[in-house]
Amino acid sequence: HLVVWGGFTNDDVDAAESGQPSTESVYYGAAYDPLTDRWIALPPSGLSPRVGHSMIWTGDALIVFGGVSPQGDVLGDGGVLRAGPVSTGGQITAPDRGDLTNGVWSRFQAGELGTFAAAPRAFHAATFDGTYMVVSGGIGPATDNTTQALLADVYAFDLQRNQWSTFAPADFEHRACHQMVSDDGKVAELGGLKPADI
């Protein structure tokens, strides 16, 4: 399936510019089945509307994190949609295979790291290395009347323990709008914008 979640509509942008709340914000998702040419709605997440968030697939769960609201606030929360059993006609036909449309969301907050105050971010990179969701860089919220700054930190979310950890490898640079890939326990960053580009 092709899975989409979140994003803004033109109404979101117009509402933000006028200072009015939007009634068309996209805070939901859907899965597209190319075999049946059909879209199926995902369960409601309870997350607020956002764009510039990351979304990864772990093999049995979808994780959405961060982003920016229609009002321009950088967000530090996320959600995990754990896939449910596959059912046909009300009968479970594949209990060991994941179906996101029968899944259940749980929410988390990056601020739960305590001392890791820079957790909220948008336009960051994320990947899944088999155990952790690894998140890197992005644009953090403005502090002390300063402009939003590019981040160079890296941290990981353990899906099984619902626990965060952070580290600062020397070869990770400040950047946003980049990509991150993992393979065989190794993680690499690709492209993006650096401070001189903004």
Side-chain angles (χ1 to χ4, degrees), residues 171-190:
D171 53 347
F172 276 64
E173 302 180 59
H174 292 81
R175 67 179 73 200
C177 302
H178 53 298
Q179 298 293 316
M180 180 182 271
V181 295
S182 61
D183 181 49
D184 195 25
K186 298 178 181 178
V187 175
E189 286 188 317
L190 307 170

Side-chain angles (χ1 to χ4, degrees), residues 88-182:
T88 305
Q91 299 292 321
I92 295 177
T93 55
D96 298 328
R97 296 190 60 190
D99 183 353
L100 288 176
T101 61
N102 288 332
V104 176
W105 283 94
S106 59
R107 296 180 61 187
F108 62 85
Q109 181 73 32
E112 292 168 355
L113 282 168
T115 58
F116 190 37
R121 67 196 57 226
F123 304 104
H124 52 282
T127 188
F128 182 66
D129 71 354
T131 302
Y132 299 96
M133 174 182 70
V134 182
V135 178
S136 161
I139 298 174
T143 58
D144 300 328
N145 297 322
T146 62
T147 58
Q148 295 170 335
L150 292 184
L151 304 173
D153 51 3
V154 181
Y155 62 101
F157 176 61
D158 187 328
L159 183 61
Q160 300 302 320
R161 298 181 180 179
N162 195 34
Q163 186 176 25
W164 291 93
S165 59
T166 182
F167 54 96
D171 53 347
F172 276 64
E173 302 180 59
H174 292 81
R175 67 179 73 200
C177 302
H178 53 298
Q179 298 293 316
M180 180 182 271
V181 295
S182 61

